[in-house]
Amino acid sequence: MPYLNSVTIIGFVGADPEQRQARNNNGSKFTVLSVATQRSWKNTDDEWASKTEWHRVCVFRPRLADYVATTIKKGAHVLVEGSLVSTTYERANGKGKKAKTNKQTFWCIRADVVRKLDRGEPEPEALASGSNASDHTPEASDTAPF
C-alpha cells in the first residue's frame, strides 16, 4: 500500500526568514520561516468567524534556502509545498533530584517548493522550485494569462 505525505499551503510570511546552521556533523545551512494561513466560516449566529494557523517551514535544499533567505520578506504572499516532519526530544522540567523529563514533539513543513505569489515581481521558475534547470527563455505559449 503506498503512502503519501504531502502538504501545500498558501499564506503570508509572519517574519523575515532566518538562516541557521545545523548542529550535526556537516553543519549545513537551512532557512526557517513562519507562514500564516486563515480559514473563515459562518458560525451559528450567521456571523463570519475566522482562525489563523501558524506553520513553521524549514528549507534544507541549499539553493532554495538561499533564495528564500534573500528574497522572501515579512508580509510576502507565498505558496509552500513539501512534507510534514516531526521531531521528538526530551526536555527537562524542574531542577534537582525531582526533575522530570517531558517528551515534546515538534512539527514543521520540510519545503521542496517556495513560490512568491505577490503580483508585480516576476519570479524565475528555476530558482523558486530549487531545480537545476538550465536557462530557459519563455515563449509566448509559456507565459501565464494573468
Side-chain angles (χ1 to χ4, degrees):
M1 169 184 268
Y3 296 98
L4 177 66
N5 180 356
S6 180
V7 176
T8 302
I9 61 171
I10 296 176
F12 291 93
V13 177
D16 288 342
E18 187 178 318
Q19 206 163 32
R20 297 183 180 178
Q21 193 159 355
R23 294 181 191 169
N24 60 11
N25 295 339
N26 66 2
S28 58
K29 288 183 181 178
F30 64 99
T31 302
V32 177
L33 68 151
S34 60
V35 177
T37 58
Q38 187 176 34
R39 64 184 181 98
S40 300
W41 67 93
K42 279 198 173 183
N43 61 20
T44 56
D45 298 330
D46 205 32
E47 296 174 352
W48 283 101
S50 64
K51 177 162 175 58
T52 301
E53 298 284 345
W54 287 94
H55 309 275
R56 183 179 174 95
V57 178
C58 299
V59 184
F60 292 101
R61 293 182 172 190
R63 288 183 63 202
L64 184 59
D66 288 340
Y67 166 79
V68 169
T70 57
T71 61
I72 305 291
K73 301 295 178 206
K74 178 181 178 178
H77 195 209
V78 294
L79 174 136
V80 176
E81 294 177 352
S83 56
L84 193 59
V85 179
S86 68
T87 305
T88 302
Y89 62 94
E90 291 190 12
R91 183 176 173 188
N93 186 10
K95 295 182 181 178
K97 293 181 182 180
K98 295 185 179 182
K100 295 181 180 179
T101 58
N102 294 335
K103 282 190 177 182
Q104 294 194 340
T105 303
F106 165 81
W107 294 89
C108 75
I109 298 171
R110 179 176 289 176
D112 295 321
V113 174
V114 177
R115 287 197 182 116
K116 285 179 76 172
L117 299 178
D118 297 326
R119 293 186 180 245
E121 294 184 27
E123 172 190 5
E125 180 70 24
L127 286 176
S129 64
S131 67
N132 293 330
S134 60
D135 291 341
H136 172 69
T137 306
E139 297 179 16
S141 62
D142 292 337
T143 58
F146 46 92

